[in-house]
Amino acid sequence: MNSQCRCTVLLRPLLLVLFLSGFLLPHPASAEPQGQLLYTLHIPFEVGAPAEVRLPDGSAVPCGKVRVLPWKTKYPGFTASRYGVGGEVVATAANAHHFLIDVEGNRGRTLSLIPTATFVATAGLGSCLVVEGTGGMGLWGRYAPTVGSPVYVINAIGSRIRFRSPDLLKVAKALEVEVFVPETAVDYLQIENRVGGRAWYHDGSGDHLFGLVDRPVSGTGRFSGTLYQDASRVRANHLGVLCVSTTPAGDIGGFQIVPRNHTFSPELQETQRMNQWLILRGPDFEDLTGKFPFFSGAVRPADREVAEGAHQGWVLCREGAGPWVPLPVVSDRTEDGLAKVTELRILLH
């Protein structure tokens, strides 16, 4: 073997280490949100180490110990993950958060963060970080991230690298998720629950039309994640779903709001004829998948222990011109459990 070949062989391990450490890793154009940082989730890659929520003032809130580390990523991830951007949160929920690493062959590659007291089939065996906790609380409640929040791997020398390669698991010492205040401070989302009904969001400057109702909701379904959320609370939000629980924690029942284009996915086409989904389309039939604020950047699951007066993720309804009240408590699958609901309002703070 000549000296040039020996040099190449010796350099290969060093180049691999440098690549995984972030020195040679290409950095695509940043998609990070701009604005005020709310908090950072810091999850060490060490069993028994404490997970923390780090606040901008330098203080930290302990949120349980790390119990299980991932040894791989999940491919393919859930259907709507393919609409996301690598290195970002693509789903936030009372029972799991999912992070997109990359899109390969029109399918997402993901990693999940779940609490010990839950079960999430979509997370996948071996492809999730498990931290002490209960669904609908703490990291999966008041400190949940929004869809689109940037996700980083921290390596041995403290470099923060956007989580856009599964190989970064080999050098990860911690994972961090930054959660920002949305640039547009949305107070609530509102939907007229009828064919052609308006869907809009309200902020300090008034109402802003977001979409129209293609199909209203009248029933409830057995969405398993509602087991970990209280009634009249947001259970999950991702690029193609806003899921609401209609049962107390420990029971199963709820409904989902989905963008019309997402229902053309092969496994979701039946939703176009089912009563458990409220389907929205753009005012001019534009695609609403992954669009702020219904399907990205604003909605987080409600916290089951949150103090009275903080209404992040609460859901109200009314019948006709009646008062705004919590949703009817309806469990299991029904075709008409929500038939009297004429309007929905989702509070965001």
Side-chain angles (χ1 to χ4, degrees):
M1 181 184 292
N2 62 37
S3 60
Q4 183 177 2
C5 290
R6 283 197 299 271
C7 182
T8 301
V9 170
L10 291 171
L11 280 174
R12 280 175 182 166
L14 177 59
L15 290 172
L16 178 61
V17 170
L18 289 172
F19 175 81
L20 294 176
S21 299
F23 290 107
L24 300 180
L25 192 67
H27 292 269
S30 175
E32 295 180 25
Q34 302 298 314
Q36 179 185 353
L37 181 67
L38 270 176
Y39 47 81
T40 300
L41 311 184
H42 179 85
I43 318 293
F45 269 56
E46 179 184 348
V47 173
E52 294 180 333
V53 172
R54 296 180 173 178
L55 304 175
D57 64 6
S59 62
V61 180
C63 289
K65 294 180 180 179
V66 176
R67 288 306 178 199
V68 179
L69 297 177
W71 62 86
K72 63 179 182 177
T73 54
K74 183 174 182 181
Y75 182 83
F78 68 96
T79 302
S81 64
R82 68 174 185 249
Y83 304 124
V85 174
E88 292 187 358
V89 174
V90 285
T92 180
N95 56 319
H97 306 318
H98 303 298
F99 312 135
L100 181 68
I101 292 116
D102 199 1
V103 178
E104 306 166 16
N106 203 33
R107 300 300 299 267
R109 180 179 292 278
T110 59
L111 185 83
S112 302
L113 175 64
I114 66 173
T116 49
T118 189
F119 171 77
V120 188
T122 56
L125 179 65
S127 56
C128 52
L129 262 169
V130 182
V131 176
E132 288 175 341
T134 301
M137 301 179 190
L139 293 175
W140 300 272
R142 73 191 73 184
Y143 296 121
T146 49
V147 173
S149 297
V151 182
Y152 299 89
V153 164
I154 312 300
N155 67 11
I157 62 173
S159 295
R160 302 174 82 241
I161 310 161
R162 285 296 286 271
F163 194 6
R164 292 187 171 117
S165 168
D167 289 333
L168 288 171
L169 282 180
K170 299 173 185 177
V171 296
K173 296 301 180 183
L175 182 143
E176 288 190 344
V177 182
E178 290 184 330
V179 185
F180 290 84
V181 176
E183 287 188 27
T184 301
V186 178
D187 298 316
Y188 59 82
L189 314 176
Q190 193 156 319
I191 303 173
E192 297 171 340
N193 189 36
R194 56 179 174 78
V195 175
R198 295 172 301 146
W200 69 91
Y201 64 93
H202 179 86
D203 62 17
S205 63
D207 295 337
H208 306 272
L209 184 67
F210 176 81
L212 300 175
V213 175
D214 223 36
R215 182 179 178 88
V217 65
S218 61
T220 56
R222 290 186 57 81
F223 302 105
S224 59
T226 57
L227 184 68
Y228 306 101
Q229 185 57 287
D230 281 335
S232 277
R233 304 290 188 268
V234 170
R235 195 275 303 182
N237 184 224
H238 68 59
L239 300 159
V241 160
L242 201 168
C243 183
V244 177
S245 175
T246 57
T247 60
D251 200 355
I252 293 178
F255 69 94
Q256 295 190 340
I257 302 167
V258 296
R260 182 175 185 267
N261 289 57
H262 187 40
T263 68
F264 293 116
S265 302
E267 60 270 49
L268 291 174
Q269 290 181 15
E270 286 297 313
T271 63
Q272 298 175 20
R273 296 176 289 277
M274 298 179 74
N275 295 335
Q276 292 77 25
W277 282 266
L278 191 157
I279 301 174
L280 295 178
R281 65 171 175 83
D284 296 312
F285 289 90
E286 61 270 34
D287 187 6
L288 301 180
T289 307
K291 295 297 187 342
F292 178 90
F294 279 67
F295 302 109
S296 182
V299 182
R300 294 186 285 130
D303 192 301
R304 293 198 277 128
E305 289 187 323
V306 76
E308 186 70 27
H311 300 144
Q312 168 68 40
W314 288 28
V315 184
L316 303 176
C317 72
R318 63 178 178 179
E319 301 175 6
W324 288 102
V325 296
L327 289 163
V329 176
V330 186
S331 61
D332 218 319
R333 175 170 174 163
T334 70
E335 300 301 323
D336 59 0
L338 302 175
K340 294 182 180 180
V341 172
T342 56
E343 285 187 87
L344 294 161
R345 177 176 287 182
I346 301 167
L347 306 180
L348 299 189
H349 61 76

